[in-house]
Amino acid sequence: MNKESVFRTRGARREPWQLAMAAVVVGLAAAAVAVVLRSGVHWLFEALEPLREHWWGMIAAPAVGALLGVAIIRVLFREPGGHGVPAVLEAVTRRGGHMRPRSIVSRLLGSLVNVASGGSAGLEGPIVYSAAAVGSTLAGGMRMAERQRVLLLACGVAGGIGAIFNAPLTGMIFTMEVVLAEWTLGALLPIAIAATVATEAGRMVLGEQGAFVTAESFTWNAHDLAASGFLGAATGLVSVALVASIFRMERFTRSLKRGFFTGRLGLVAGLAGMGVGIIGLWMPEAIGEGYETVNAALTGELPLGPWLLLLVGAKVLTTTLTLGSNAPGGIFAPSLVLGASLGYGFGTLLAFVFPSLGFAPPAFFALAAMAGLVSGSMQAPFTGIILALETTGGWDGTLPLILVAVLSVLVSRTFLRHSFYTWELAERGELMRPGSDRRILAEMRAGEILDQEAVSIESGRTLDDLAQILPRTKRNHFAVVDVEGKLLGMLDLTSLRGVIFDDTVRRVTPVDTVMDAAVTHIGDQASLLQAMEAFESSGAWVLPVVDEQDRYLGTLSKSTLFDRYRTELIVQTADHQE
Amino acid sequence: MALDLQQAAEMLGVSPATVRRWARQGRLGMLRPSGEFRFEPGELQRWARNQGLQLRQNRTEGAPTTAMGDESHGPLGAALHRGAVLHHVPGVSPDEVLSNLVELAPLEEAVDRLGLLSQLQAREHMASTALGQRVALPHPRVPSSAFVHEPMLVVGMLENPVPWRALDGEPVHAVLLLLNPTPQEHLAILSRVAYLLRQDSFQKALQESAEADALRDLVDRLEQDIPS
């Protein structure tokens, strides 16, 4: 296709409206994905009911489900395993919002099988991944540029979360806090529209009931708030235990992948799934999505005593086995179950130890601890607070909930430098939030800012030849190149000052003998992040830039880099509003 | 008139590759760019203003330039044509000569001639501008566009030889007043004057108080031989 179209900067005023309209389309598509996932899990769970009546079925179902889930993603769709949120974050920060269309289906199918058969995981991981891919694919079809593609990807996420949990605010806030890490009006408007449209579409199909029963009305006093402080610290510790143990397990899984048998077809996930099934045999509350457990806590119907402590431990274990073995699924649901049981236990303990103080009912603390665990494991307090409030309707408990969520994040950040979602990217050095130094540098290429007027001299010439060039240039750095233009070394005029004015020395000194042959060089496709590292490790102010064949292209100077850095900072952080 | 990629990049003070990346990243418009780039200057200006970017369209005008010649003259010849060749300049001391030169130089009306004189005196105070061979090269201590907007050379043949604290002790017969708006131009003109002073024909012309037209022609001729 050779049709030449003309590019214009026109239409900046119309852009927010066009994005808003695109957000409606993306929201509807994301809702469709959410409906398929939610009803698919429901249907498959019911279909597997007869199997769960036998003990071997209880063990086999999660094992086969996890194995199949991994196989679907890795073999059928040829994608890496895991819950997928890091891949979405990477698409946002490093790939200009680009995701493959097949990603819409891959994790959706994989986690549908895994979660419905009893894997201890939730649906927010797969819905985020699928709905993000929906947004990205639609944006690609509309020929959107990268930033707009990222925004529509984010619209997909907000819509997907909104529709599957019947929680539009949660969708919006999760997207802004975790996926984009950017609070701009330009992003908020389309995301809010997508969340609204998608949630309503989801309600029309899935019903108006939220993910959980509506919490009863609470009254609480100052001492409940004080007790919430302790609960916040406890939820923080459990979040840390959960996330750290999942990552231990994940590292172990990764090390097994190199083995001949253990690396195949999600065999590890299958074995881990069997472990989940065995735990499920004596504690069925610890497997699957576990929404019944949350509902029981909210209505005050959970069994009491040490059993709750066992449930917390068992849930951490099953979630570790499922998510740590790369079986597909999300961490929202397990966090909510853990929070509900922990908070419920905490509440009953308070009532038992201080019967005369008249603490709020255990369900009140269950709700607050749900927010605490989600906040702590994702290190996203806003998301945790809104998720707990919106899915249960427990707005009466807003104040203690905030306290628990914030304290949980405080504790979590004390022990973990990164959250469940960002860990993987941060380990690879790929976590680059908008407007951050690393992101700005990473987006620019060395070839963009190199000084093309830089002068080179062929190997074998003398300093006398160099002296002939000097009056015609303002440069102080000269490259020595071979006949093909490949870089051999650099000459710095300041270090030649002692010899360049001596006629005799000049004539008998080939440039090869005085050049710096060990000079660090930068590829023109290298990011300025890499260039900056080269500047810092070499201590140089000017470094040569070469192409893929090592041919000399020009020099890159630190001062130019700093000059363009500010321009780039301005452009990258501008909120595209007229 | 629409700008192409190169022109837009120059206006923004970045490279074309950067503008292309901005377009791909959706910072210039909503859609992926395809085909040729065309920018309306007004739109680009508005975009840059909204971003808070400084445009660099005036960069070449405000930036220092090296001395330029015109079609029929080299830089020095042009400076001499803007200046003057004066004969029988009176004065018995450098101060008097300078004072008279400043009076006679074809400067614009608004120029602060007293200020110029004190600048010339300040320069002489630092070190004599008499380089030997009976010639002095007075110039302001700091090149400034307050006095001239383009390089100007005023040649003054003195009525009487004036002692000028020259290195070789000889009194000065001829004075070359150099006025330049910027240091860059000052250096460019100075190096050309130095070349001229090494030519016997030029020295001879000064000692013989050559006529204005003859001197101008000589400068034009000699300047052609200077490698640029």
Side-chain angles (χ1 to χ4, degrees):
Chain A
M1 199 176 77
N2 241 345
K3 206 181 76 180
E4 205 168 71
S5 59
V6 170
F7 183 78
R8 290 173 191 280
T9 54
R10 281 240 177 88
R13 208 178 288 276
R14 288 199 304 265
E15 186 180 319
W17 289 97
Q18 286 166 330
L19 278 175
M21 284 189 290
V24 173
V25 178
V26 172
L28 288 174
V33 173
V35 167
V36 168
L37 186 57
R38 166 62 69 212
S39 356
V41 168
H42 189 75
W43 173 81
L44 189 59
F45 183 81
E46 299 285 320
L48 291 175
E49 194 56 50
L51 205 60
R52 275 190 293 273
E53 281 161 15
H54 313 281
W55 67 267
W56 50 266
M58 285 289 287
I59 298 175
V64 174
L67 193 127
L68 260 181
V70 174
I72 285 170
I73 293 172
R74 299 250 307 268
V75 181
L76 200 59
F77 291 97
R78 304 194 176 282
E79 289 196 332
H83 56 93
V85 177
V88 172
L89 296 187
E90 197 178 354
V92 167
T93 56
R94 305 290 289 143
R95 298 186 197 286
H98 183 88
M99 288 179 78
R100 293 180 297 184
R102 70 169 79 154
S103 304
I104 300 170
V105 201
S106 63
R107 226 155 287 249
L108 186 101
L109 275 182
S111 49
L112 195 155
V113 173
N114 182 35
V115 174
S117 59
S120 174
L123 297 179
E124 111 283 350
I127 190 66
V128 165
Y129 192 80
S130 286
V134 164
S136 170
T137 304
L138 285 174
M142 296 181 218
R143 291 188 45 236
M144 295 274 180
E146 291 180 357
R147 195 191 134 79
Q148 290 73 11
R149 195 167 186 172
V150 165
L151 280 183
L152 287 193
L153 177 153
C155 286
V157 172
I161 296 263
I164 208 158
F165 292 108
N166 187 13
L169 269 179
T170 310
M172 287 165 59
I173 283 165
F174 173 81
T175 307
M176 308 282 281
E177 192 176 34
V178 177
V179 177
L180 291 183
E182 183 186 322
W183 300 86
T184 57
L185 211 51
L188 179 65
L189 299 178
I191 285 170
I193 288 169
T196 313
V197 170
T199 308
E200 180 53 26
R203 281 154 60 101
M204 284 162 73
V205 183
L206 298 171
E208 285 175 22
Q209 169 63 40
F212 308 112
V213 293
T214 311
E216 52 188 300
S217 197
F218 305 112
T219 51
W220 52 271
N221 296 307
H223 56 267
D224 293 305
L225 198 59
S228 298
F230 290 96
L231 182 61
T235 57
L237 288 175
V238 175
S239 319
V240 170
L242 177 69
V243 173
S245 93
I246 291 174
F247 279 112
R248 279 284 150 76
M249 176 79 187
E250 202 164 46
R251 227 169 258 169
F252 178 63
T253 310
R254 230 181 295 158
S255 70
L256 287 180
K257 266 187 193 154
R258 283 180 220 112
F260 184 73
F261 287 108
T262 48
R264 307 267 146 167
L265 290 180
L267 204 66
V268 183
L271 285 173
M274 202 178 280
V276 172
I278 292 170
I279 295 171
L281 264 185
W282 59 272
M283 191 171 267
E285 289 83 358
I287 69 169
E289 266 193 293
Y291 282 6
E292 308 75 33
T293 314
V294 175
N295 283 338
L298 289 175
T299 50
E301 288 159 7
L302 266 189
L304 299 178
W307 181 86
L308 274 173
L309 213 60
L310 277 178
L311 176 59
V312 169
K315 189 69 191 174
V316 170
L317 202 59
T318 54
T319 310
T320 300
L321 285 169
T322 299
L323 296 181
S325 64
N326 274 339
I331 201 176
F332 268 19
S335 296
L336 291 172
V337 173
L338 269 174
S341 10
L342 183 72
Y344 197 82
F346 182 81
T348 46
L349 189 71
L350 273 183
F352 179 75
V353 179
F354 309 105
S356 58
L357 284 179
F359 277 105
F364 165 85
F365 292 103
L367 178 62
M370 282 162 67
L373 249 128
V374 172
S375 305
S377 54
M378 303 192 315
Q379 297 193 346
F382 219 165
T383 304
I385 292 164
I386 298 298
L387 175 69
L389 288 177
E390 202 175 30
T391 51
T392 63
W395 299 91
D396 298 331
T398 305
L399 208 49
L401 213 108
I402 293 173
L403 188 65
V404 170
V406 167
L407 276 170
S408 175
V409 175
L410 261 178
V411 171
S412 170
R413 284 186 74 89
T414 308
F415 294 101
L416 301 172
R417 283 189 52 221
H418 302 286
S419 78
F420 179 69
Y421 292 138
T422 55
W423 187 302
E424 188 190 323
L425 285 177
E427 262 193 345
R428 284 193 278 137
E430 295 279 341
L431 183 70
M432 296 173 187
R433 292 310 203 179
S436 67
D437 172 73
R438 289 173 60 79
R439 175 74 172 274
I440 289 158
L441 287 174
E443 299 221 332
M444 298 196 272
R445 304 265 156 237
E448 282 179 41
I449 68 165
L450 68 91
D451 178 3
Q452 288 163 325
E453 285 176 50
V455 189
S456 63
I457 185 166
E458 244 179 59
S459 162
R461 298 300 189 90
T462 62
L463 285 183
D464 199 47
D465 297 317
L466 180 68
Q468 306 302 318
I469 303 176
L470 286 184
R472 293 203 299 270
T473 175
K474 289 177 180 166
R475 311 294 155 200
N476 292 322
H477 297 265
F478 306 91
V480 178
V481 296
D482 66 8
V483 282
E484 286 166 12
K486 286 188 183 163
L487 179 74
L488 299 173
M490 288 300 284
L491 296 166
D492 181 355
L493 193 57
T494 30
S495 64
L496 296 174
R497 211 171 269 155
V499 290
I500 197 97
F501 294 111
D502 186 314
D503 283 356
T504 318
V505 175
R506 214 158 73 186
R507 283 198 200 95
V508 299
T509 311
V511 288
D512 307 62
T513 57
V514 286
M515 71 184 183
D516 177 7
V519 65
T520 314
H521 58 266
I522 302 169
D524 64 335
Q525 288 307 310
S527 74
L528 290 194
L529 192 61
Q530 291 161 305
M532 203 61 219
E533 279 159 13
F535 277 122
E536 268 158 22
S537 64
S538 65
W541 273 84
V542 174
L543 287 176
V545 177
V546 296
D547 68 7
E548 281 159 7
Q549 277 85 46
D550 276 343
R551 280 189 301 251
Y552 177 65
L553 295 173
T555 54
L556 182 65
S557 81
K558 231 184 193 174
S559 49
T560 317
L561 192 153
F562 288 140
D563 174 52
R564 298 297 167 75
Y565 180 92
R566 181 159 182 275
T567 308
E568 189 66 26
L569 175 73
I570 291 170
V571 172
Q572 280 197 28
T573 51
D575 185 14
H576 290 246
Q577 298 291 307
E578 289 256 338
Chain B
M1 182 208 64
L3 305 172
D4 65 13
L5 183 63
Q6 181 71 39
Q7 291 165 323
E10 274 166 26
M11 194 161 151
L12 296 169
V14 297
S15 69
T18 303
V19 178
R20 211 179 288 131
R21 175 171 58 77
W22 282 347
R24 174 169 55 78
Q25 292 179 334
R27 304 193 187 282
L28 291 170
M30 191 172 69
L31 297 183
R32 261 201 312 272
S34 60
E36 215 179 311
F37 283 86
R38 282 276 173 274
F39 299 90
E40 298 294 331
E43 283 171 25
L44 199 60
Q45 270 165 9
R46 198 152 48 97
W47 177 82
R49 198 176 55 238
N50 286 337
Q51 309 281 307
L53 282 181
Q54 199 74 41
L55 288 181
R56 308 203 182 179
Q57 53 192 347
N58 297 325
R59 195 184 218 191
T60 46
E61 287 169 33
T65 51
T66 50
M68 298 286 283
D70 52 35
E71 277 169 24
S72 48
H73 307 290
L76 195 57
L80 184 57
H81 275 265
R82 283 190 283 269
V85 180
L86 309 166
H87 293 87
H88 310 294
V89 178
V92 294
S93 69
D95 274 358
E96 279 184 35
V97 171
L98 290 176
S99 167
N100 290 327
L101 268 180
V102 168
E103 279 308 311
L104 295 168
L107 298 169
E108 282 174 28
E109 274 312 303
V111 169
D112 172 14
R113 288 177 191 249
L114 276 179
L116 174 58
L117 182 59
S118 74
Q119 278 277 318
L120 293 172
Q121 287 165 339
R123 171 64 186 84
E124 293 298 335
H125 193 72
M126 285 168 68
S128 169
T129 60
L131 299 175
Q133 292 181 303
R134 321 219 282 181
V135 177
L137 299 174
H139 48 267
R141 214 183 93 140
V142 182
S144 165
S145 54
F147 306 127
V148 285
H149 295 297
E150 286 176 297
M152 180 187 286
L153 174 63
V154 178
V155 179
M157 320 288 190
L158 305 190
E159 211 169 42
N160 314 297
V162 174
W164 208 292
R165 294 190 289 139
L167 290 172
D168 54 7
E170 295 281 320
V172 163
H173 276 243
V175 172
L176 275 62
L177 172 63
L178 304 179
L179 299 175
N180 288 291
T182 67
Q184 283 84 357
E185 284 158 313
H186 179 66
L187 283 175
I189 294 292
L190 189 60
S191 73
R192 280 164 183 268
V193 168
Y195 173 82
L196 246 59
L197 287 174
R198 284 199 299 274
Q199 312 304 314
D200 292 339
S201 54
F202 187 70
Q203 281 289 351
K204 197 162 160 256
L206 289 183
Q207 301 312 327
E208 291 173 357
S209 293
E211 288 302 312
D213 287 341
L215 197 67
R216 287 199 190 100
D217 289 344
L218 180 62
V219 169
D220 284 340
R221 217 166 42 241
L222 289 173
E223 201 175 9
Q224 279 173 7
D225 299 333
I226 302 179
S228 53

